[in-house]
Amino acid sequence: MSTGTSIDRWLQGHPLIQELMALKETAWFNPAVQPADVALPDVGLTLADVQDASARMTRFASYIRRVFPQTEEAAGIIESPVQPVPRLQEALVERYGLELPGQLWLKLDSHLPISGSIKARGGIYEVLKHAEDLALDAGLLSLDDDYAKLDSDAFRAFFRQHRIAVGSTGNLGLSIGIMSATLGFDVTVHMSADAREWKKEKLRGHGVTVVEYEADFSVAVAEGRKQADEDPGCHFIDDENSTSLFLGYAVAAERLKPQLEEAGVVVDADHPLFVYLPCGVGGGPGGVAFGLKLVFGDAVHCIFAEPTHSPCMLLGVYTGLHDEISVQDFGIDNVTAADGLAVGRPSGFVGKAMQRLIDGYYTIRDDELYALLALLERQENICLEPSALAGVPGVARILAAENEAYRQRFQLTSDILKNATHLAWATGGSMVPDDEMEAYLVKGREALK
């Protein structure tokens, strides 16, 4: 059966598809979700793989600490804070006209050092892994060394012989570009049409080659992959399929656990954790969700959030067609202010690996992203870029009357929900230039009216 024929059969008799095509805010909770111990083997990766990634990041800590002084306080560990946002929660009660029991928190990956987004996890990790592999193979490094030795002209000259390439809507390119250039790699970032100009300029300021496209993310990735395939000395970082990126993101969960414990937050069957993750191609939220399921099992519920103009993962999982389809196949334009989420075709790897582990998916309008951006700044004095607000309304979505069947399925009674913790993953924003952030806030304040 051709993809075209496959799509045709979804255009009739599927109200959810019609709502997505009409760009309506939509939620879908997957009936195929299974307990963690049943579905985790789908991924093909294990806790040992995540622990290996975590150990590699620790080996690089002395180097990171030396070349990025902003990580000094954290001893070279790239990590972000987590904090409750009670004033925002109160404002959401009023905005959505719902009681929102439990407590709302933000995971501020927006404030990760070096590149200010969730991509500082997976993106930087894959660059570090590639650098380690090259240096080990060349006999220049051993696992017992102090990795601060990589901060030298000799190592930069060694890495300069090697090339790295990536396709990006912006934040992944920033992370990979900055880290690669700091190590000494010759790095090229293929940027899609929706990438912000300031991100391109920041990369160029670090000596990164930026190739611009008038098309979307999928084209930028395809062109980057094609050029890298023609160069045997080039390592292409594949945001659609990379397990290294995925594992870098997954490390977040083992670090979140002690953060919550220190804050007195209990996570178990009677105190569930709901995590709302903005989703573009799927690698970042997929990796984080994988790590969360390894750490918290069935006590954590992961939900992906996408723009109404780019619901690629929802469409891919709902139809079972994954990366065989794009939102454009359904007449959806993939044009959104949420540049980090402006992806038309989902990761087939993540969609298939995680389809029985992600509770649900919802979409959000651009004007609501802007409104929430202004609301968060007003209530909590936290500034994020538009895409990073996608997870904020998640608590209201799962508690909406029309989603009662979801709550009943997981026995989420009122007594359990009042003990719940809701964590919106803030994926980017701290590096947005002041003038651009002010423009976002102006739009947001207007949307709030």
Side-chain angles (χ1 to χ4, degrees):
M1 182 184 293
S2 71
T3 301
T5 305
S6 299
I7 291 170
D8 289 343
R9 76 188 211 32
W10 290 103
L11 298 179
Q12 305 297 325
H14 290 274
L16 177 85
I17 300 287
Q18 298 300 323
E19 288 184 10
L20 293 174
M21 292 172 64
L23 305 180
K24 292 182 179 179
E25 290 191 330
T26 305
W28 176 64
F29 293 93
N30 188 358
V33 169
Q34 295 294 314
D37 61 350
V38 173
L40 277 169
D42 295 352
V43 181
L45 299 166
T46 66
L47 177 60
D49 294 313
V50 180
Q51 291 170 336
D52 177 65
S54 181
R56 185 169 289 105
M57 287 181 170
T58 300
R59 289 197 292 275
F60 271 95
S62 62
Y63 170 76
I64 296 294
R65 185 177 190 173
R66 176 174 291 187
V67 297
F68 296 108
Q70 63 266 45
T71 68
E72 175 67 33
E73 187 175 342
I77 297 297
I78 301 169
E79 195 43 72
S80 71
V82 60
Q83 72 174 69
V85 281
R87 292 180 295 277
L88 175 64
Q89 186 170 352
E90 290 175 9
L92 294 178
V93 168
E94 181 178 351
R95 182 164 185 80
Y96 296 129
L98 288 171
E99 286 187 32
L100 301 178
Q103 191 173 39
L104 179 62
W105 292 65
L106 282 185
K107 177 59 173 166
L108 291 168
D109 272 10
S110 49
H111 290 65
L112 280 170
I114 304 175
S115 60
S117 82
I118 188 174
K119 303 298 187 178
R121 293 189 184 282
I124 287 175
Y125 171 72
E126 178 153 351
V127 173
L128 297 180
K129 182 180 186 305
H130 184 56
E132 183 185 63
D133 289 345
L134 289 172
L136 289 172
D137 289 346
L140 301 175
L141 185 69
S142 76
L143 296 179
D144 296 325
D145 283 344
D146 179 353
Y147 278 28
K149 70 184 288 185
L150 277 79
D151 180 29
S152 69
D153 290 341
F155 269 102
R156 281 185 285 273
F158 169 70
F159 290 129
R160 176 58 60 182
Q161 303 170 57
H162 302 273
R163 288 161 297 288
I164 288 178
V166 65
S168 175
T169 59
N171 285 343
L172 182 64
L174 268 183
S175 297
I176 287 169
I178 292 172
M179 190 70 252
S180 298
T182 301
L183 280 159
F185 286 103
D186 180 352
V187 55
T188 299
V189 178
H190 300 264
M191 298 287 252
S192 55
D194 33 67
R196 301 295 180 195
E197 194 61 36
W198 70 266
K199 296 179 182 179
K200 300 172 190 174
E201 290 306 310
K202 191 169 188 67
L203 283 169
R204 292 187 178 108
H206 280 81
V208 175
T209 299
V210 176
V211 180
E212 300 182 60
Y213 296 87
E214 295 183 1
D216 71 3
F217 171 81
S218 296
V219 172
V221 171
E223 286 299 313
R225 184 184 291 115
K226 178 182 175 183
Q227 291 186 28
D229 285 346
E230 297 169 354
D231 179 358
C234 183
H235 176 69
F236 181 71
I237 296 180
D238 188 343
D239 199 12
E240 296 177 332
N241 299 298
S242 171
T243 56
S244 292
L245 280 177
F246 189 82
L247 290 169
Y249 297 125
V251 171
E254 70 168 29
R255 295 178 177 176
L256 176 65
K257 187 174 186 288
Q259 286 182 320
L260 294 178
E261 289 172 349
E262 185 177 347
V265 174
V266 176
V267 180
D268 58 26
D270 295 323
H271 303 79
L273 172 64
F274 294 85
V275 182
Y276 310 100
L277 293 146
C279 179
V281 74
V288 170
F290 173 60
L292 290 168
K293 283 294 184 179
L294 285 171
V295 171
F296 297 110
D298 296 326
V300 66
H301 301 268
C302 300
I303 296 161
F304 285 3
E306 299 180 285
T308 53
H309 287 259
S310 307
C312 67
M313 188 62 72
L314 197 168
L315 275 169
V317 175
Y318 179 79
T319 61
L321 295 172
H322 300 291
D323 57 340
E324 293 179 26
I325 58 165
S326 70
V327 300
Q328 291 94 335
D329 292 332
F330 291 85
I332 302 171
D333 62 12
N334 191 36
V335 177
T336 172
D339 59 316
L341 312 182
V343 178
R345 188 181 303 275
S347 163
F349 159 58
V350 173
K352 294 167 188 173
M354 298 298 295
Q355 62 186 338
R356 298 201 298 168
L357 290 164
I358 306 303
D359 278 23
Y361 310 77
Y362 67 83
T363 62
I364 179 170
R365 303 186 318 274
D366 279 13
D367 61 349
E368 185 65 5
L369 291 173
Y370 279 120
L372 293 171
L373 183 152
L375 195 64
L376 178 63
E377 188 270 343
R378 176 190 296 174
Q379 299 297 331
E380 305 284 353
N381 195 31
I382 297 172
C383 292
L384 304 178
E385 60 186 356
S387 58
L389 277 300
V392 168
V395 55
R397 297 301 183 90
I398 69 164
L399 292 167
E402 62 267 26
N403 296 320
E404 183 178 358
Y406 164 69
R407 298 192 296 275
Q408 288 182 345
R409 180 185 175 195
F410 286 96
Q411 300 179 327
L412 300 172
T413 64
S414 57
D415 285 342
I416 286 179
L417 287 170
K418 72 182 180 183
N419 295 324
T421 300
H422 301 274
L423 184 63
W425 212 277
T427 49
S430 65
M431 295 184 73
V432 174
D434 291 343
D435 58 344
E436 185 139 350
M437 182 58 72
E438 184 57 35
Y440 289 158
L441 288 167
V442 168
K443 287 184 180 180
R445 291 163 187 152
E446 187 62 32
L448 278 175
K449 296 178 183 178

